[in-house]
Amino acid sequence: MTDSILLTVDNGLARITLNRPQRLNAINAEAAQAWRDIAAEVAERSDVGAVLLDAVGPAFCAGGDVAEMSAMGGSVSSIGEFADIIHEGHRSLSAMPKPIVAAVNGAVAGGGLGFMLVADYIVASTSAKFVSKYADIGLTPDCGVSTLLPQAVGMRRALQLTLTSRSLTADEALDWGLVSEVVADGETDARAREIAAGWLAGATAAFGQAKRLLRGGVGRDYATALDDEARTIGAAFETPDAQARIGAFLARSARR
């Protein structure tokens, strides 16, 4: 375990914290490897039912650490390998049947958008800001931004944010569909925990499988998605949790 990204697990909730505040939580090689390893661990742990993603300091994530990327030599192989390591973590978290809520404060830039959009529910503070900035340094989207951003806001708005210097306020990000809700500064952690607690107190497995179906359905053909839905709801129907909840629902309906 490294200090650049922290992991704690408590009562079913895994908290993943970006922890390079001195660099606005920009991701360097150490952080990339920690992200990959922590994501794989969280995906595999049976004692984790939900995830909270947050960051230390005044910014959520400034994307890749450009200074350290430059120090790598800037070769195609070294930068590509760096991105691949981050992307392994993204794949683990996106595919796992466990919902993720992000508590976002301060600036989110470049690849930081991809880290944020790995979350299934995003709580932003009123002072949060969102910007691409890739073209400012002659680079192109990574960290899943080319896929996750259009999925969140639509292609036209994704292109606008990526191809111009447009910066979004928290309210604009909410209007665009980039974040799920906006709360007062200082309240993001409490609200994110409240959402995660709701998942853990409810039909946790069903929430996780619903997330997997929706995330996995993007890009799949309709027939494959339908087959997956049928298998998943069939398996869910047989679980003790579903049987108890269905029984309670039927009992309430009978009393009406």
Side-chain angles (χ1 to χ4, degrees), residues 4 9 49 69-70 85 87 93 130 142 168 195 216 232:
S4 57
V9 177
M69 290 167 67
S70 181
I85 291 171
H87 296 167
L93 293 177
F130 307 87
D142 62 346
L168 299 181
I195 291 164
T232 302

Side-chain angles (χ1 to χ4, degrees), residues 21-233:
Q22 73 283 4
R23 297 291 297 161
L24 301 180
N25 293 310
I27 305 299
N28 64 353
E30 179 191 35
Q33 292 168 6
W35 175 255
R36 176 196 61 194
D37 296 344
I38 287 172
E41 177 182 346
V42 167
E44 292 297 324
R45 286 183 64 155
S46 61
D47 61 338
V48 171
V51 178
L52 192 159
L53 175 62
D54 63 3
V56 176
F60 179 75
C61 182
D65 191 319
V66 177
E68 291 208 19
M69 290 167 67
S70 181
M72 292 176 190
S75 69
V76 172
S77 59
S78 62
I79 300 303
E81 181 180 353
F82 172 65
D84 280 339
I85 291 171
I86 295 171
H87 296 167
E88 285 185 46
H90 280 39
R91 281 190 286 268
S92 294
L93 293 177
S94 294
M96 71 179 184
K98 302 170 185 180
I100 305 170
V101 58
V104 176
N105 299 292
V108 186
L113 293 169
F115 276 83
M116 179 186 77
L117 290 169
V118 165
D120 307 299
Y121 198 103
I122 300 169
V123 180
S125 67
T126 54
S127 62
K129 300 287 185 183
F130 307 87
V131 66
S132 167
K133 291 292 188 183
Y134 281 109
D136 286 6
I137 52 175
L139 296 180
T140 55
D142 62 346
C143 300
V145 171
S146 67
T147 299
L148 297 174
L149 185 60
Q151 288 174 6
V153 304
M155 182 60 73
R156 290 299 175 191
R157 283 177 163 174
L159 287 167
Q160 181 182 354
L161 193 61
T162 305
L163 301 181
T164 73
S165 58
R166 178 71 184 266
S167 175
L168 299 181
T169 66
D171 286 339
E172 288 172 329
L174 179 63
D175 179 62
W176 278 31
L178 186 62
V179 303
S180 306
E181 64 177 91
V182 176
V183 299
D185 291 351
E187 295 182 7
T188 54
D189 185 72
R191 178 58 181 147
R193 286 184 174 277
E194 182 181 13
I195 291 164
W199 292 336
L200 293 171
T204 306
F207 284 126
Q209 289 298 333
K211 169 255 178 80
R212 183 191 65 77
L213 284 168
L214 291 169
R215 288 283 194 181
V218 176
R220 287 192 304 181
D221 68 89
Y222 187 49
T224 299
L226 290 177
D227 289 342
D228 193 2
E229 285 183 0
R231 287 191 299 269
T232 302
I233 197 171

